[in-house]
């Protein structure tokens, strides 16, 4: 027997449907506002509703794999809970049996994968017509996601078509039922479509190549094999998606085992409804529905315990981001305030590292010794992951601050805590500014304009100089020296800002840059300078005494008055 399939098409299909899953999940997250969440809950809130909706949607789409992948996306987006997700998957097993009924009655199978090209075509048109990040834009991305999902499934299915054409069940007459159970499982796992396996089984049964019992166990195998789609869809996903995929596997395997062991009893029951000898196709369709309904009945009382068990198997790991707060009780206010101060310093360093990495600056140029918190950064996060972790760290700092506030504090302690929380807010505003100019910085770096390239390098130089100054201030032992250095550094930031604006005006006069580039440069410089100021403000509140903070603020007020007066005279 010659067995061959297009490996590259199979791998391409796998990549396409995983990409489709990613588009679906991103779109669901963006569209899952209150109204969207209400709609999802309306059809999946409760055990019976989730089972019923899973059966109905699968019957309409004729693709339990597509429904299961949608469930993965909804769970990954956080708009469907675990128990309801299991219910939908259980219901999808019932809904998918409609395929067998259609083939058995009229010999025709609806191919939902045929929607792939219209979905992709319509979605692509929407991406061109609609403004990025708008609601219609995300809807079209969702449509394209479904299109790629179906296209990927179709690629994987058609890549093994030659395998199904050359495969003959009649070549294995002497093997037991266990072998055919395995065949049904493997064929479905390869083709990513249990409906295709069932179509093959019904064709073989209709031609007399196999017996009813062999066809029945192959249908059981098809149910088990279809779980591979959901398992693949959960690769690299969050813990919730892994729970859903495992629940799908557990449900189908246990249901399949019960159907396999109880095969004689199920065949006996079916024989009372359908004459298996004269109408074996209808009998097999009924068997497919009956044993899936049996599985739902068996699992229905255990939805809650199963959900809790899967949560234990795949718990939501919480990354420990704090260094000083976890072991410090907030009721001991002196120790808690000291820990909060150190944690705020930790946050400052994390923000500095984020800004350095955003501008692709080697951190060793700034930090000439091993970082004290390097143990927390053994995993190299992407910039987006790093940003989210910093936000979580700030949230933990604010939560700890709130806990300290519930205890009795004197006025000095209250003001000290307020300064620390102001410092943390300025740090977060600083990296938010940097995040906002990331795209512009990349454009400057990759531009054909030499002046823009030079400005990108200048921004990097300004940041390194600032962080060298901040490092010296942190290493200064006396507060008076820190106070003077902070004022000096602030003046240097203002001078760099003025030089940049002056140089930009000259570049405009010399026609080194175009109008759109002028706007981008000025915007980036404004946000960059604001970010630098806020980092100095955060250090001011982190390091100085209350009296020095007041003096620093007065100096800033005087500077603003003088700047306003200079501007008035100039005008």
């Amino acid at each position: 027997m010659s067995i061959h399939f297009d490996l590259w098409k199979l791998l391409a299909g796998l990549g396409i449907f995983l990409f489709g899953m990613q588009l679906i999940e991103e779109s669901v997250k963006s569209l899952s506002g209150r109204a969207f969440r209400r709609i999802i809950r309306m059809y999946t809130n409760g055990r019976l509703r989730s089972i019923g909706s899973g059966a109905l949607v699968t019957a309409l789409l004729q693709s339990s794999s597509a429904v299961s992948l949608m469930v993965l996306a909804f769970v990954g987006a956080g708009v469907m809970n675990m128990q309801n997700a299991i219910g939908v998957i259980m219901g999808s097993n019932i809904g998918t049996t409609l395929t067998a009924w259609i083939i058995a009655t009229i010999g025709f199978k609806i191919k939902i994968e045929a929607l792939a090209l219209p979905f992709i075509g319509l979605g692509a048109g929407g991406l061109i017509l609609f403004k990025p990040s708008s609601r219609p834009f995300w809807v079209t991305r969702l449509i394209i996601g479904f299109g790629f999902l179906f296209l990927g499934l179709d690629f994987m299915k058609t890549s093994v078509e030659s395998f199904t054409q050359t495969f003959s069940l009649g070549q294995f007459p002497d093997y037991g039922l266990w072998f055919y159970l395995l065949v049904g499982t493997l064929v479905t796992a390869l083709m990513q479509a249990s409906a295709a396996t069932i179509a093959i089984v019904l064709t073989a049964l209709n031609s007399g190549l196999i017996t009813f019992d062999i066809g029945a166990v192959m249908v059981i195998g098809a149910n088990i094999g279809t779980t591979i789609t959901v398992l693949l869809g959960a690769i690299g996903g969050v813990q919730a998606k892994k729970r859903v995929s495992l629940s799908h596997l557990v449900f189908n395997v246990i249901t399949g085992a019960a159907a396999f062991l109880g095969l004689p009893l199920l065949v006996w029951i079916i024989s009372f409804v359908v004459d298996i000898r004269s109408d074996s196709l209808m009998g097999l369709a009924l068997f497919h529905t009956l044993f899936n309904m049996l599985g739902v009945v068996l699992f229905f009382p255990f939805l809650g315990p199963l959900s809790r068990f899967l949560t234990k198997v795949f718990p939501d790991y919480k990354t420990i981001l704090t260094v000083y707060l976890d072991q410090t009780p907030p009721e001991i206010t002196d120790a808690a305030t000291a820990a909060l101060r150190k944690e705020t310093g930790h946050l400052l360093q994390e923000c500095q590292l984020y800004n350095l990495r955003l501008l692709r600056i080697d951190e060793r140029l700034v930090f000439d010794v091993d970082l004290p918190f390097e143990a927390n950064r053994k995993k190299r996060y992407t910039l987006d992951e790093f940003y989210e972790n910093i936000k979580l760290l700030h949230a933990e700092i604010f939560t700890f601050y709130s806990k300290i506030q519930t205890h009795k504090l004197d006025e000095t302690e209250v003001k000290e805590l307020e300064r620390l929380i102001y410092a943390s807010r300025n740090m977060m505003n600083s990296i938010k500014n940097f995040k906002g100019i990331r795209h512009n910085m990349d454009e400057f770096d990759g531009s054909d304009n030499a002046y823009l390239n030079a400005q990108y390098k200048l921004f990097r130089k300004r940041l390194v100089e600032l962080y060298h100054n901040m490092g010296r201030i942190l290493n200064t032992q006396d507060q008076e020296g820190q106070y003077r250095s902070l004022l000096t550094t602030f003046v240097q930031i203002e001078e760099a800002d003025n030089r940049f604006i002056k140089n930009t005006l000259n570049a405009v006069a010399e026609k080194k840059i175009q109008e759109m580039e002028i706007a981008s440069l000025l915007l980036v410089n404004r946000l960059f300078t604001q970010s630098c100021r806020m980092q100095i403000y955060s250090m001011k509140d982190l390091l100085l005494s209350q009296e020095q903070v007041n003096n620093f603020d007065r100096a800033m007020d005087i500077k603003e008055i003088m700047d306003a007066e200079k501007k008035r005279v100039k005008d």
Side-chain angles (χ1 to χ4, degrees):
M1 178 177 63
S2 173
I3 298 177
H4 171 74
F5 62 91
D6 189 339
L7 177 62
W8 289 115
K9 192 170 185 179
L10 178 68
L11 294 176
L14 178 63
I16 290 170
F17 100 77
L18 286 174
F19 179 62
M21 268 304 301
Q22 185 181 27
L23 289 178
I24 291 171
E25 186 170 332
E26 289 175 354
S27 301
V28 168
K29 286 180 180 178
S30 298
L31 293 170
S32 57
R34 290 184 179 179
F36 188 76
R37 289 173 185 267
R38 252 195 318 270
I39 292 172
I40 294 295
R41 292 195 188 101
M42 186 183 301
Y43 293 104
T44 60
N45 187 21
R47 298 181 183 183
L48 288 175
R49 277 190 174 187
S50 60
I51 293 171
S53 63
L56 177 62
V57 173
T58 307
L60 292 174
L61 291 180
Q62 280 299 287
S63 176
S64 62
S65 295
V67 173
S68 299
L69 291 173
M70 278 192 282
V71 171
L72 280 188
F74 291 144
V75 171
V79 295
M80 183 182 292
N81 65 38
M82 183 67 199
Q83 187 168 294
N84 291 343
I86 297 174
V88 173
I89 285 178
M90 288 166 56
S92 71
N93 273 31
I94 297 175
T96 197
T97 64
L98 182 62
T99 301
W101 287 102
I102 294 173
I103 297 173
T105 53
I106 62 176
F108 177 77
K109 177 181 177 292
I110 299 173
K111 294 183 179 179
I112 190 61
E113 293 88 351
L115 292 174
L117 297 181
F119 273 24
I120 295 172
L122 292 172
L127 289 182
I128 296 172
L129 293 174
F130 300 121
K131 184 179 179 181
S133 300
S134 65
R135 193 171 184 83
F137 176 85
W138 286 111
V139 171
T140 55
R141 278 178 66 91
L142 180 65
I143 292 172
I144 288 180
F146 281 121
F148 278 124
L149 185 148
F150 295 137
L151 184 63
L153 290 173
D154 188 53
F155 266 45
M156 286 184 280
K157 176 184 171 184
T158 56
S159 67
V160 293
E161 278 184 346
S162 56
F163 171 77
T164 61
Q165 291 169 0
T166 58
F167 182 76
S168 174
L169 295 171
Q171 297 180 25
F172 308 101
D174 298 324
Y175 292 95
L177 294 180
W178 278 103
F179 174 78
Y180 294 101
L181 177 70
L182 183 62
V183 168
T185 302
L186 292 178
V187 170
T188 304
L190 283 173
M191 291 193 296
Q192 298 290 299
S194 60
T197 303
I198 292 169
I200 295 170
V201 172
L202 288 171
T203 302
L205 182 62
N206 186 57
S207 62
L209 292 176
I210 60 173
T211 64
F212 183 86
D213 286 356
I214 290 176
V217 296
M218 288 195 69
V219 168
I220 296 172
N223 261 39
I224 298 172
T226 195
T227 60
I228 191 66
T229 302
V230 185
L231 291 173
L232 290 172
I235 291 176
V238 296
Q239 296 292 85
K241 293 172 71 172
K242 294 176 182 177
R243 291 177 211 139
V244 173
S245 64
L246 183 58
S247 72
H248 194 210
L249 178 64
V250 169
F251 174 73
N252 282 26
V253 169
I254 293 180
T255 299
F260 185 82
L261 295 174
L263 182 62
L265 177 60
L266 290 172
V267 172
W268 180 74
I269 293 173
I270 291 170
S271 64
F272 281 96
V273 182
V274 177
D275 185 353
I276 295 176
R277 292 181 180 179
S278 62
D279 199 354
S280 58
L281 297 184
M282 291 294 290
L284 193 59
L286 180 58
F287 171 79
H288 192 199
T289 302
L290 184 61
F291 89 78
N292 275 295
M293 292 183 69
L294 174 65
V296 172
V297 172
L298 289 174
F299 270 83
F300 187 80
F302 304 103
L303 276 178
L306 177 61
S307 177
R308 291 189 292 271
F309 168 75
L310 293 171
T311 302
K312 289 182 180 179
V313 174
F314 291 110
D316 289 317
Y317 294 111
K318 180 176 182 283
T319 304
I320 298 175
L321 303 169
T322 59
V323 176
Y324 302 101
L325 302 186
D326 286 342
Q327 304 301 322
T328 308
E331 58 268 18
I332 306 176
T333 56
D334 290 347
T337 301
L340 188 66
R341 182 177 296 279
K342 289 185 176 181
E343 200 68 68
T344 307
H346 173 206
L347 176 65
L348 174 63
Q349 188 182 81
E350 295 292 288
C351 292
Q352 286 180 304
L353 282 169
Y354 174 84
N355 293 340
L356 288 171
R357 290 177 185 175
L358 186 141
L359 289 182
R360 294 188 284 275
I361 300 172
D362 190 338
E363 59 202 47
R364 288 172 295 185
L365 293 174
V366 175
F367 303 105
D368 54 359
V369 294
D370 291 337
L371 297 173
F373 312 116
E374 192 59 38
N376 284 352
R377 229 176 347 270
K378 288 182 179 179
K379 177 181 177 181
R380 188 76 175 188
Y381 295 105
T382 66
L383 266 177
D384 290 334
E385 290 171 338
F386 197 5
Y387 183 79
E388 292 302 315
N389 279 350
I390 293 174
K391 285 172 61 179
L392 289 174
L393 176 58
H394 180 245
E396 291 185 22
I397 287 174
F398 192 84
T399 300
F400 191 79
Y401 162 77
S402 301
K403 290 178 181 178
I404 300 177
Q405 291 284 82
T406 62
H407 300 283
K408 187 175 181 180
L409 303 168
D410 59 40
E411 185 177 351
T412 302
E413 290 176 319
V414 170
K415 289 185 177 296
E416 185 176 1
L417 288 172
E418 286 178 350
R419 292 202 304 273
L420 292 177
I421 209 66
Y422 288 154
S424 69
R425 288 174 181 171
N426 275 319
M427 294 171 197
M428 294 307 299
N429 287 331
S430 168
I431 67 166
K432 185 177 180 181
N433 273 7
F434 261 80
K435 186 174 184 289
I437 61 177
R438 175 181 175 183
H439 177 67
N440 299 98
M441 288 292 191
D442 290 340
E443 285 185 343
F444 296 164
D445 185 33
S447 175
D448 295 332
N449 188 310
Y451 184 82
L452 294 180
N453 295 154
Q455 297 313 301
Y456 172 74
K457 294 176 182 177
L458 180 60
F459 281 121
R460 297 172 84 234
K461 182 181 178 182
R462 286 167 64 180
L463 188 66
V464 170
E465 289 176 351
L466 172 66
Y467 285 173
H468 279 155
N469 289 337
M470 291 173 66
R472 284 194 291 270
I473 294 169
L474 288 170
N475 291 326
T476 302
Q477 298 302 316
D478 67 293
Q479 284 187 327
E480 186 60 33
Q482 290 176 333
Y483 169 75
R484 289 194 300 270
S485 296
L486 283 171
L487 282 174
T488 300
T489 303
F490 191 91
V491 171
Q492 291 172 348
I493 292 171
E494 298 303 301
E495 289 175 346
D497 177 42
N498 291 331
R499 281 197 302 272
F500 181 90
I501 294 174
K502 183 178 179 180
N503 290 338
T504 302
L505 291 173
N506 291 335
V508 172
E510 296 171 7
K511 298 182 179 180
K512 293 182 179 179
I513 49 178
Q514 300 176 355
E515 290 184 2
M516 290 300 296
E517 294 169 340
I518 298 169
S520 295
L521 272 174
L522 293 176
L523 173 64
V524 168
N525 180 67
R526 180 169 62 84
L527 294 177
F528 180 91
T529 303
Q530 286 179 354
S531 177
C532 294
R533 289 173 185 149
M534 285 184 283
Q535 290 176 73
I536 297 302
Y537 291 152
S538 68
M539 289 189 70
K540 172 255 297 185
D541 287 316
L542 182 63
L543 300 175
L544 303 183
S545 67
Q546 183 63 56
E547 182 181 358
Q548 289 172 326
V549 167
N550 293 338
N551 291 336
F552 190 98
D553 291 341
R554 278 196 293 271
M556 295 302 101
D557 290 339
I558 292 171
K559 179 187 176 302
E560 288 181 8
I561 293 172
M562 292 177 66
D563 287 345
E565 181 62 20
K566 288 179 182 178
K567 185 177 184 301
R568 186 188 67 79
V569 172
K570 183 178 179 181
D571 293 342

